[in-house]
Structures are given as C-alpha cells and as structure tokens.
Amino acid sequence: MPTNGLHQELKVQFGLVNDTGRYLTAENFGFKVNASAPSLKRKQTWVLEPDPGQGCAVLFRSSHLGRYLSAEEDGRVACEAERPGRDCRFLVLPQPDGRWALRSEPHGRFFGGTEDQLSCFATAISAAELWTVHLATHPQAHLLSVSRRRYVHLCAQEDEMAADSDRPWGVDALITLIFRSRQYCLRSCDSRYLRSDGRLVREPEPQARYTLEFKAGKLAFKDTDGHYLAPVGPAGTLRAGRNTRPGKDELFDLEESHPQVVLVAANHRYVSVRQGVNVSANQDEELLHETFLMQIDQETRKCTFYSSTGGYWTLVTHGGIHATATQVSANTMFEVEWRGRRVALKASNGRYVCMKKNGQLAAVSDFVGEPPPSYPPRGGRRAGPWRLSPSSPPGEDEEFILKLINRPILVLRGLDGFVCHRRGSNQLDTNRSVYDVFHLSFSDGAYQIRGRGGGFWYTGSHGSVYSDGERPEDFVFEFRERGRLAIRAPGGKYLRGGASGLLRADADTPAGVALWEY
C-alpha cells in the first residue's frame, strides 16, 4: 500500500445534535457554547481526540475555535481551553438508540440542556443529556479495515462487500455513508445497502442501519442486535460478527476519496499505461490501466495523475510522458485548462501535452489549436516544436475528454451545507444538514444529474435550478481545488449557493460559493 501521500486518513469531524434537533455550537464571543443552531456548519463542528493520559476519557475540540470543551465542578461549560486540562476530560456513554451521553470524567456529572442553557451538572441521564452524532466529513470515502489493512469494496460477482483490496482503485471502492434517523447505512457504488448478515439490499431496512461508535479515533458500526461489522473469513466478507464489544477486527478508518478519471484523446481512444512506461492513447476500453488517480495540489492548483501500475505521470527528456515517477516533483505536476467539454494539460516545461501520430503523449505544443498567423514566418522554417497530426482536426491533439469514474452517485456540499431537495418543491436547497444522493451519467465531456424520482436537473429563468426535468441537460464539471469542483450550466454560468439557500446557475467565476465538495 503506498505511503507517498496517496491515501489520507480523514480526521473525523462531527456535530452533536440535542433532543430538540439543535447543534452544539462554539461561539467566538466569550468562548461560550449553546445548542441553538438548526444546521451543521463550521461553528457546529467538533473533533474527538483521545486523552493523552491513560484511561477511557476523550477530548472535544472545536474545529471553529481550535479550543477544547470543558466543564467545571459547578457545571459551567465553555470552549476556551487552548490546551486540554483536567476539566476537559469526558466519558462517552453510548445509548441503545445510538445517542451519546457525555459525563465529565473528573466531576461525574452529565452534559446537556437546550439553547443557551447548557450545563454539566445533571446526576442522571434524561432526554436533555442525549446527543446524536452527525458526521461532518464528506460522506463519500474509502473504508479501510484496521486489522487487515485492506480496503472495503463491492464484489459484484459474489454479491457482497469485502475488505480484501490493497488499493481503493476503481468505482467499486467508493462507500457512501447515509445518515438516517440517528443511524448510518453503508451504500455501495451501485446504490445498494449493506445488511448486517452481509447481504446487499435496495432499501435501507432496519437490518441495514448501524450505530456509529468511536474508539481511539477509529470507527465501529453496531447493528440493531448489538453486534459489530467486521471482515469475516479468508475473503474478508463484511458482516456483523459475534462480538458485542469492538476490538481491532471491528475498527475502520475513513480515507479521502480522490477523483479517479479516464481520458480520451482525439483519436477516440483511451489514454493508458497498458503497453509499459509510455503514456499513450491506444486502448478501446476503460479498465484499470486506463484509470488514473487525480490529485490537486491545494497551493498551486496543479494536479498529478497516478496509475494503477504504481507510478505518476512525469515529464521526461524530449517532452515524453512516462508513468514512472515514485514521488511528486515539479515534473509530475500538470496545469489543467478547462475548455468547455474538453481539457488541455500543460506540463512543467510550459508546453501542452498532445497526442503524437503513434498515440504516445508528449508535452511539445506551445499552444492549443492552430498556430497564430505569424508563426511560423511565411516561407521560413517552423521555429518551435508545434505540430498538427493529420489524423485529427486543428487543436484536438492537445484536447482530451476527462471523465470522472468513481462518482456514479454524488453528494454535494457547499460553504453553507449540503445540496438537498427542497420540501414540497422541485428546487434544490444548498444549506441543509442532511443530503440527497444524486445519480450521474456521462456524455461527451459533460454530465447529466438525476435526483429523486429520476428527474433530471435543468436550468430555468433567472438561473434557477430544478430537479424534475424529463429531458437531461448537460453540466460540465471542473475540478478546481482538492476535493472541490465547479459545475458549469449550459448557459455558461456556474452553480452557486447563496443567502436564499437556493441552488442557482448565475455565478461568473468558479470560486467561493460556486465550489462544491464532492
């Protein structure tokens, strides 16, 4: 399994929801805490940390303030401590319905309350002292078995999910966590749910719902009978075992799911490493050798392409592109230019990647498209490496179709929350704590998006986006930042969230509220 930064364990972030449906919030003013917020945003996001000392106590750190929740002997609570002290230690007591009771470890009292009347002074657990855990990380990720060090993926032939893969490669390694009625479901890439007996079912029935538990920063999934999911047998089939307490076999890590893509060149063939170290457009089907992990650098916005054979694309002598680099460097970074339904890639030598006559890729073009009228000079020799293949129209040799293959189902989150169907309407909200799952289909460099009931997304007057279309509209995805994309509507505007909470196609630039976690 690579250790070169390809696989990043997600720092599990979550919100705590009280009995009245309000989120625990850390405020800047006075470092006070309350339970007044109706939705999960940055102020409502927390990280669970193990206590540095011995024992079962844990710490709650605010993602917003970077400070720790504390409870004094008289029950007063705050989120002021820059370093965890004795009053910051809590014990998590999971309840049968999946909620948590939080007890101050040094003082033995329970934490709860409503609105701005929070305290840690209750001697017994009532409804006011129970908290629902709502994951704040993006719900689409890879799931890694801690004991086997193998990734969970869908085994379509065996009709099961198993932890037996060395790498989370391909669409079958995508897991979507669905939050329903204070519990979680594990949804496979083909939109089925994992039942505790290992079967995959179409509906999130009770046997396919789990209580989420944390242990030493890892996740465990407890079924309705009190048993935990674990990989079982030589094949690592995922199902509930006999254990009623989570051990190492029952623990999992969540890892970030980077986009995996295929590229099609102007000759209508897939870019591949099947033939060896050369990256060439010479295949007629998309399999592992044609799939590349695309990672975007947060600072430069440039990206790398990592192959299933274990190497990054890299610029070599004379402009060739090989899949041989084992570490990220300047020569493995490519600048992506979004050109409608096509992309162009510029290498570290400042030249564009193009397809040569034999299908091999090389960064030898100074521009995309036909040369300017003054280049080369009339009657003179070509002063540069530009060339046009007679097999394709001008400009196409530098352009590629880029297709996202590991998001057949899509969850979108913006700055204000998740995208979800608006109640009683055919429009979409962008500020919800819960999320809807949308289905993608691909066509010639663009995507059609289907929502609840199979209706397609489409744009109406004033940029409004609707979700009940009978005919699909084409939306273009632009991967602009690590973990974030921009969605361009048919009219050329970008989809954005806003103060109204409605999804609209009226943004001019792919930034800010027009970027979406996916």
Side-chain angles (χ1 to χ4, degrees):
M1 189 163 46
T3 57
N4 53 8
L6 286 172
H7 305 282
Q8 291 90 11
E9 181 180 328
L10 287 172
K11 186 176 293 184
V12 178
Q13 301 183 64
F14 56 90
L16 290 172
V17 193
N18 71 1
D19 188 55
T20 63
R22 300 290 170 160
Y23 288 81
L24 180 63
T25 302
E27 299 287 3
N28 297 74
F29 180 74
F31 304 108
K32 295 180 180 180
V33 292
N34 61 61
S36 304
S39 61
L40 177 59
K41 298 181 181 178
R42 185 163 178 78
K43 286 184 179 182
Q44 291 76 41
T45 303
W46 301 83
V47 176
L48 193 71
E49 296 182 357
D51 182 68
Q54 299 296 321
C56 300
V58 295
L59 310 168
F60 290 89
R61 180 169 56 82
S62 164
S63 298
H64 170 56
L65 300 177
R67 301 189 180 216
Y68 293 88
L69 182 69
S70 64
E72 298 181 19
E73 188 173 2
D74 61 3
R76 286 185 294 179
V77 291
C79 189
E80 186 174 4
E82 295 185 67
R83 295 182 180 180
R86 179 172 176 266
D87 288 344
C88 300
R89 295 161 58 91
F90 290 87
L91 296 175
V92 174
L93 306 180
Q95 303 301 298
D97 65 356
R99 288 185 286 182
W100 287 0
L102 307 181
R103 186 171 68 191
S104 168
E105 197 258 3
H107 309 305
R109 301 298 180 97
F110 292 97
F111 173 53
T114 58
E115 300 291 335
D116 58 355
Q117 302 297 317
L118 298 183
S119 68
C120 190
F121 204 64
T123 57
I125 301 172
S126 70
E129 283 73 46
L130 292 177
W131 300 89
T132 297
V133 181
H134 187 178
L135 284 183
T137 52
H138 193 278
Q140 293 183 297
H142 301 308
L143 199 61
L144 176 69
S145 167
V146 171
S147 61
R148 301 204 179 196
R149 305 306 300 171
R150 294 292 184 272
Y151 291 92
V152 173
H153 70 108
L154 173 67
C155 306
Q157 292 182 342
E158 289 78 17
D159 203 34
E160 65 186 22
M161 295 174 72
D164 64 353
S165 179
D166 289 336
R167 291 193 182 106
W169 209 264
V171 63
D172 58 14
L174 181 70
I175 305 296
T176 303
L177 295 175
I178 304 297
F179 185 60
R180 288 177 181 269
S181 303
R182 300 191 179 120
Q183 293 179 306
Y184 282 87
C185 303
L186 297 178
R187 191 171 184 175
S188 63
C189 63
D190 65 355
S191 297
R192 290 188 290 172
Y193 299 89
L194 177 68
R195 262 184 24 171
S196 57
D197 61 0
R199 290 181 56 195
L200 294 167
V201 294
R202 288 294 176 186
E203 297 296 328
E205 55 192 65
Q207 292 78 19
R209 299 181 185 181
Y210 305 91
T211 299
L212 194 65
E213 293 188 5
F214 293 83
K215 184 176 180 181
K218 312 300 181 184
L219 300 182
F221 299 89
K222 185 172 69 174
D223 72 3
T224 53
D225 295 324
H227 300 107
Y228 291 83
L229 284 184
V232 177
T237 303
L238 205 61
R239 62 173 178 260
R242 298 180 179 179
N243 290 344
T244 56
R245 291 187 178 181
K248 190 174 182 181
D249 286 343
E250 289 76 32
L251 298 181
F252 297 89
D253 276 327
L254 279 181
E255 287 192 355
E256 184 177 357
S257 175
H258 293 282
Q260 294 179 24
V261 301
V262 297
L263 295 101
V264 181
N267 60 0
H268 308 294
R269 307 191 81 182
Y270 290 97
V271 174
S272 176
V273 292
R274 187 178 301 275
Q275 62 287 330
V277 300
N278 288 315
V279 181
S280 301
N282 60 6
Q283 297 299 314
D284 295 321
E285 56 183 351
E286 53 179 79
L287 298 173
L288 287 182
H289 288 91
E290 292 72 50
T291 300
F292 302 97
L293 186 72
M294 180 179 174
Q295 288 182 293
I296 301 175
D297 182 76
Q298 193 62 32
E299 295 183 3
T300 65
R301 304 293 193 267
K302 295 181 179 180
C303 70
T304 59
F305 294 95
Y306 186 80
S307 73
S308 61
T309 56
Y312 291 95
W313 290 16
T314 186
L315 181 69
V316 297
T317 308
H318 307 304
I321 305 295
H322 290 179
T324 55
T326 57
Q327 299 292 331
V328 173
S329 67
N331 285 341
T332 67
M333 304 296 291
F334 295 84
E335 182 180 343
V336 181
E337 291 186 5
W338 302 98
R339 305 174 65 85
R341 293 172 178 259
R342 302 293 186 267
V343 300
L345 305 175
K346 184 182 288 188
S348 58
N349 62 359
R351 291 172 175 162
Y352 290 96
V353 175
C354 67
M355 180 193 67
K356 298 164 65 175
K357 292 181 180 180
N358 61 1
Q360 291 184 3
L361 302 192
V364 294
S365 289
D366 285 334
F367 41 79
V368 179
E370 293 204 48
S374 59
Y375 184 83
R378 182 184 296 270
R381 297 186 62 184
R382 289 188 172 99
W386 79 274
R387 72 328 111 276
L388 285 174
S389 168
S391 63
S392 57
E396 287 195 0
D397 286 345
E398 293 82 18
E399 292 186 331
F400 299 86
I401 297 173
L402 187 147
K403 174 186 174 184
L404 176 69
I405 63 105
N406 65 333
R407 289 296 188 279
I409 54 179
L410 185 71
V411 175
L412 293 173
R413 181 168 68 175
L415 294 180
D416 297 312
F418 288 101
V419 175
C420 185
H421 288 92
R422 173 163 283 199
R423 293 183 182 90
S425 170
N426 60 353
Q427 292 184 285
L428 297 158
D429 281 325
T430 63
N431 57 359
R432 300 285 294 279
S433 297
V434 295
Y435 42 85
D436 278 332
V437 175
F438 303 97
H439 294 260
L440 291 184
S441 53
F442 183 81
S443 176
D444 189 32
Y447 300 83
Q448 293 93 42
I449 307 173
R450 284 183 294 116
R452 186 185 302 159
F456 290 98
W457 285 21
Y458 66 96
T459 52
S461 59
H462 308 294
S464 297
V465 180
Y466 301 94
S467 61
D468 61 346
E470 295 183 0
R471 296 181 180 179
E473 282 193 359
D474 290 338
F475 294 85
V476 175
F477 286 8
E478 300 178 0
F479 305 98
R480 291 286 183 169
E481 295 183 4
R482 174 172 166 170
R484 288 175 169 80
L485 58 78
I487 303 176
R488 196 167 188 174
K493 299 287 188 177
Y494 292 95
L495 303 192
R496 67 163 182 89
S500 68
L502 282 175
L503 183 65
R504 295 187 181 278
D506 59 5
D508 294 317
T509 57
V513 292
L515 289 178
W516 305 93
E517 286 185 63
Y518 62 98

